[in-house]
Amino acid sequence: MKKKALFNWSSGKDSALALYKITQNSEYEISCLLTSVNQQFQRISMHGVRVALLEQQAKSIGLPLEIMQIPEMPTMEVYENVMQETLCKLKKQGIKYSIFGDIFLEDLRKYREDKLSGIGFEGIFPLWKIPTHELIQEFITLGFKTIVVCVNERYLDKSFVGRIIDQDFINDLPENVDVCGENGEFHTFTFDGPIFETPINFEIGEVVYRKYEKPEKEDASDTACDTSASDAFDFGFWYCDLVPK
């Protein structure tokens, strides 16, 4: 019997590749995609992608979508309460495994595993410790297509947001930037590839700059939401809006 699992879906390239790899493994049955969404703006946390495009992804992938509504600037307690409530609900459906696209951030993995174990879940990490330069080349070779929707200005300037990740993009990255953006340098939206029945259609909208107020106490939920908690509030971000067609 296959192990029932949920997949933590960010809408980006690492999630897409991890989902592709886990579907090649007959050990797991993916019951749903789980995504945290900014409750105020109805956009994917940190990525800034509209819920309508997230819903199109889930439909094209062919999996149910479970959305966690998260406040604009959640405290750690609020974030963890929402997560625990959601997972307890899914556990009643026989789901006991939670799959992530994390690659090498040890503290983030430990945080996830500690929280999951407390409610009887086990974390699964299909991309763990695979060199990121290998992962990005595999991603492109498989035919995935992804666009950069958010960049951290500490690492990249405005010119990188709104670009498709291809070999030219990789060659243009500064040496201190991980090619998969694993340290929170950039975030993406994947719109085509082998996990999709049909491509996701959108138009590129406006590019906006946003800077967040630094909280009094560093919030681990930011790390859990797929960004670098140590610098998430010290620098601004450039976002590229994607408009559904």
Side-chain angles (χ1 to χ4, degrees):
M1 181 180 294
K2 290 187 177 183
K3 300 174 180 178
K4 294 188 71 173
L6 65 90
F7 191 95
N8 293 273
W9 179 256
S10 73
S11 80
K13 57 178 177 39
D14 298 337
S15 280
L17 185 57
L19 180 58
Y20 172 81
K21 285 183 176 292
I22 208 72
T23 57
Q24 308 304 301
N25 184 342
S26 59
E27 185 177 359
Y28 298 97
E29 174 190 341
I30 308 301
S31 298
C32 67
L33 303 177
L34 177 63
T35 307
S36 62
V37 166
N38 183 307
Q39 191 172 33
Q40 180 178 353
F41 296 103
Q42 288 303 292
R43 292 175 182 259
I44 299 172
S45 301
M46 280 311 301
H47 291 229
V49 173
R50 301 175 187 230
V51 167
L53 289 172
L54 169 65
E55 292 172 340
Q56 286 186 37
Q57 281 185 322
K59 182 178 179 180
S60 184
I61 291 169
L63 287 172
L65 176 64
E66 181 77 26
I67 291 178
M68 290 195 308
Q69 299 285 349
I70 305 293
E72 165 74 356
M73 294 290 288
T75 63
M76 183 184 297
E77 181 180 7
V78 168
Y79 174 82
E80 292 177 352
N81 285 343
V82 174
M83 176 65 77
Q84 183 171 348
E85 181 180 340
T86 302
L87 292 182
C88 286
K89 180 181 70 173
L90 293 173
K91 187 178 179 181
K92 293 178 181 178
Q93 301 174 22
I95 300 172
K96 296 182 179 179
Y97 299 88
S98 186
I99 304 171
F100 299 90
D102 302 321
I103 304 172
F104 59 67
L105 298 180
E106 299 281 359
D107 289 349
L108 178 53
R109 176 166 178 164
K110 185 178 187 306
Y111 171 82
R112 297 199 196 284
E113 290 179 328
D114 288 348
K115 296 302 176 183
L116 288 171
S117 64
I119 47 180
F121 272 75
E122 181 179 337
I124 306 297
F125 302 82
L127 307 184
W128 191 248
K129 293 299 185 182
I130 301 176
T132 51
H133 67 275
E134 293 181 13
L135 289 174
I136 198 64
Q137 293 299 333
E138 181 181 8
F139 181 85
I140 293 171
T141 300
L142 285 168
F144 281 106
K145 291 180 171 42
T146 196
I147 184 171
V148 177
V149 291
C150 172
V151 301
N152 184 329
E153 69 172 349
R154 181 181 183 184
Y155 302 100
L156 297 170
D157 61 41
K158 179 182 178 181
S159 68
F160 283 89
V161 75
R163 288 183 60 177
I164 303 296
I165 291 188
D166 54 15
Q167 198 59 51
D168 287 339
F169 176 89
I170 295 169
N171 293 340
D172 288 343
L173 288 175
E175 290 185 4
N176 66 324
V177 173
D178 180 74
V179 293
C180 284
E182 179 69 350
N183 297 304
E185 299 98 327
F186 61 90
H187 301 290
T188 60
F189 175 79
T190 302
F191 57 90
D192 199 5
I195 61 173
F196 296 103
E197 182 179 349
T198 57
I200 311 304
N201 293 317
F202 61 88
E203 294 178 343
I204 295 178
E206 65 177 332
V207 173
V208 299
Y209 177 81
R210 190 169 187 199
K211 192 166 186 177
Y212 299 89
E213 181 181 351
K214 188 177 180 66
E216 293 182 5
K217 182 177 180 181
E218 187 174 275
D219 189 345
S221 68
D222 294 303
T223 306
C225 289
D226 195 29
T227 186
S228 176
S230 62
D231 58 23
F233 300 92
D234 291 333
F235 301 89
F237 296 82
W238 287 103
Y239 288 92
C240 176
D241 189 22
L242 303 181
V243 183
K245 292 179 68 175

